[in-house]
């Protein structure tokens, strides 16, 4: 049972989180989804609804804690997907959301929430760079509660506008008006200094190197999760010590869209 919230990649599935990957289903009694990256084929279960999706993510090890499971159950992924594609919402794969952007696969959302869980406690501040649909920013807001702050930054104005609409349909809607949850148009590589420092920073696109403004805005004792790399990519975890020192380690290999300027993103493809 889900109680109050505020207060690894799948086995047998891809660690490639947000790249351009085609999803397909097989016609069988217990359907599973497969998707391709290059010549590799990865299999993952298909869920019938959001609660079933979270259950599968727990069974496969992407979601481990009750707290993360609870917030993912509360935030129905379909609310953050275009209406005509909501039948695909419970597949564990990334989906296009327009403007050469994607929403990450559910197992990547779960993995990143687990990595940041201890840094998303009530009253803490969280930054979501490349907030896209607003899903993860909304999850952060529910976790930090009404005494905390969750900030999403996205450089495509149309995506920010749509993400606000998405959040207004969700259980996080009540956190918009008091400013606990806010979504902004901006270059996420520069962070969002107004509400810094942040206990938790999540970056939803792969950077060639970690942007210095994000390091500067990470609070001592805080944690950043960011995909890094231009070819092979790694999900890098950066912990800032009380003295400002940095410890960096790799959680997994991933595949994300690149963290670029607005113009480069609109010119490019994923």
């Amino acid at each position: 049972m889900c109680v109050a919230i505020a207060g690894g990649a799948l086995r047998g599935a891809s660690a490639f989180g947000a790249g351009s990957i085609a999803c397909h289903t097989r016609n069988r009694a217990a359907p599973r989804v497969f998707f391709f990256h290059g010549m590799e084929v990865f299999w993952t279960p298909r869920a019938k609804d959001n609660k079933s999706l979270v259950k599968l993510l727990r069974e496969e090890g992407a979601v481990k804690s009750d707290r993360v499971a609870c917030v993912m159950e509360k935030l129905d992924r379909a609310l953050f997907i275009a209406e005509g594609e909501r039948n695909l919402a419970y597949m564990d794969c990334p989906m296009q959301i327009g403007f050469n952007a994607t929403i990450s696969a559910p197992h990547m959302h779960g993995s990143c929430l687990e990595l940041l869980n201890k840094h998303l406690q009530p009253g803490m501040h969280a930054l979501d760079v490349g907030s896209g649909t607003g899903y993860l920013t909304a999850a952060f807001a529910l976790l930090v509660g009404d005494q905390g702050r969750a900030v999403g930054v996205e450089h495509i104005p149309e995506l920010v506008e749509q993400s606000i609409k998405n959040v207004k349909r969700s259980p996080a809607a009540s956190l918009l008006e008091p400013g606990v949850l806010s979504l902004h148009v901006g270059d996420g590589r520069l962070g969002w200094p107004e509400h810094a420092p942040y206990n938790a920073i999540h970056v939803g696109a792969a950077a060639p190197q970690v942007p210095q403004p994000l390091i500067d805005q990470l609070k001592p004792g805080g944690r950043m999760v960011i995909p890094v790399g231009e070819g092979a990519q790694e999900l890098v975890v950066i912990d800032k010590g009380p003295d400002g020192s940095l410890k960096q380690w790799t959680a997994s290999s991933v595949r994300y869209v690149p963290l670029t300027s607005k113009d480069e993103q609109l010119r490019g493809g994923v």
Side-chain angles (χ1 to χ4, degrees):
M1 181 178 181
C2 238
V3 294
I5 297 169
L10 293 173
R11 296 190 304 272
S14 172
F16 295 91
S20 178
I21 301 172
C23 295
H24 306 270
T25 60
R26 296 204 309 178
N27 185 16
R28 56 188 289 182
R32 298 177 74 83
V33 177
F34 65 92
F35 51 97
F36 298 95
H37 181 84
M39 294 302 293
E40 298 175 278
V41 182
F42 303 91
W43 296 86
T44 186
R46 180 184 183 183
K48 64 180 181 179
D49 54 32
N50 194 66
K51 187 172 183 179
S52 300
L53 173 62
V54 177
K55 182 175 183 289
L56 288 169
L57 294 175
R58 294 204 75 162
E59 290 172 353
E60 297 290 350
V63 172
K64 299 178 174 65
S65 67
D66 290 342
R67 192 165 183 259
V68 169
C70 185
V71 76
M72 291 187 74
E73 282 187 15
K74 195 168 186 178
L75 279 179
D76 193 325
R77 180 175 163 87
L79 298 177
F80 295 82
I81 302 295
E83 187 172 355
E85 298 180 349
R86 287 179 186 166
N87 61 313
L88 305 176
Y90 309 123
M91 294 182 180
D92 188 26
C93 63
M95 295 179 63
Q96 299 284 347
I97 60 172
F99 305 96
N100 292 321
T102 62
I103 181 173
S104 292
H107 75 267
M108 288 308 303
H109 281 154
S111 296
C112 289
L113 285 168
E114 289 290 357
L115 287 168
L116 292 170
N117 189 7
K118 292 181 180 179
H119 306 273
L120 294 168
Q121 298 300 310
M124 291 185 172
H125 284 206
L127 175 65
D128 185 19
V129 173
S131 49
T133 66
Y135 175 89
L136 212 52
T137 318
F140 291 170
L142 290 172
L143 289 168
V144 301
D146 58 12
Q147 298 303 307
R149 186 173 288 275
V151 178
V153 182
E154 168 60 57
H155 57 199
I156 307 296
E158 294 88 344
L159 289 180
V160 174
E161 181 180 355
Q162 183 59 51
S163 69
I164 293 171
K165 292 178 181 177
N166 295 341
V167 171
K168 285 181 176 179
R169 291 193 294 261
S170 81
S174 63
L175 299 175
L176 276 170
E177 190 170 339
V180 173
L181 167 55
S182 58
L183 296 151
H184 306 273
V185 178
D187 187 340
R189 296 172 296 182
L190 303 178
W192 198 259
E194 181 182 351
H195 300 302
Y198 298 98
N199 305 88
I201 297 178
H202 167 266
V203 182
Q209 56 274 325
V210 182
Q212 186 62 43
L214 299 184
I215 294 174
D216 295 341
Q217 291 173 39
L218 185 63
K219 187 174 183 177
R223 170 173 285 186
M224 183 191 314
V225 174
I226 176 171
V228 178
E230 296 182 274
Q233 298 174 4
E234 295 180 332
L235 189 65
V236 173
V237 180
I238 300 172
D239 292 317
K240 182 180 278 192
D243 61 354
S245 61
L246 300 175
K247 180 181 178 182
Q248 179 175 310
W249 53 280
T250 298
S252 63
S253 296
V254 291
R255 185 68 177 175
Y256 277 75
V257 298
L259 184 67
T260 65
S261 69
K262 174 185 174 182
D263 290 342
E264 288 173 338
Q265 179 172 323
L266 292 176
R267 282 197 303 267
V270 298

